[in-house]
Amino acid sequence: MQYVKYDLAKSDQLLTAMIDVELNDAQYASILSFAYNCGVENFHVSTLRKKINLSDFAGASLEFGKWNRARGNVMAGLT
């Protein structure tokens, strides 16, 4: 459990440096969960992050659907 707390705190720190716009708590929690689970490095280079930083939240919401694969296979639980 201690590792998860450390890892999540590190993801939070990195994510804070990547987001240039103000997010509400629900938006930030959603993005933190996404970045933690998909990888902060993946989030950093994503179109999702770019759209968030342009305050294109409608466009950003459409990006989540593109992250439904694991090892190249569509995962029903992620779709």
Side-chain angles (χ1 to χ4, degrees):
M1 185 66 167
Q2 191 66 17
Y3 176 75
V4 172
K5 287 181 182 179
Y6 170 80
D7 203 30
L8 189 57
K10 185 66 175 172
S11 294
D12 179 47
Q13 179 184 23
L14 293 169
L15 185 62
T16 299
M18 291 181 205
I19 300 297
D20 301 327
V21 297
E22 190 170 327
L23 301 175
N24 66 39
D25 290 343
Q27 289 170 320
Y28 187 80
S30 176
I31 298 304
L32 179 58
S33 175
F34 175 84
Y36 177 78
N37 286 295
C38 292
V40 176
E41 299 83 7
N42 291 326
F43 176 74
H44 179 71
V45 298
S46 72
T47 301
L48 173 61
R49 183 184 70 87
K50 292 172 187 162
K51 289 188 178 197
I52 289 169
N53 281 331
L54 291 171
S55 295
D56 179 9
F57 299 116
S61 70
L62 298 174
E63 292 298 310
F64 285 100
K66 296 177 181 178
W67 293 81
N68 66 345
R69 296 177 181 272
R71 296 187 179 119
N73 299 311
V74 173
M75 305 297 291
L78 297 176
T79 299

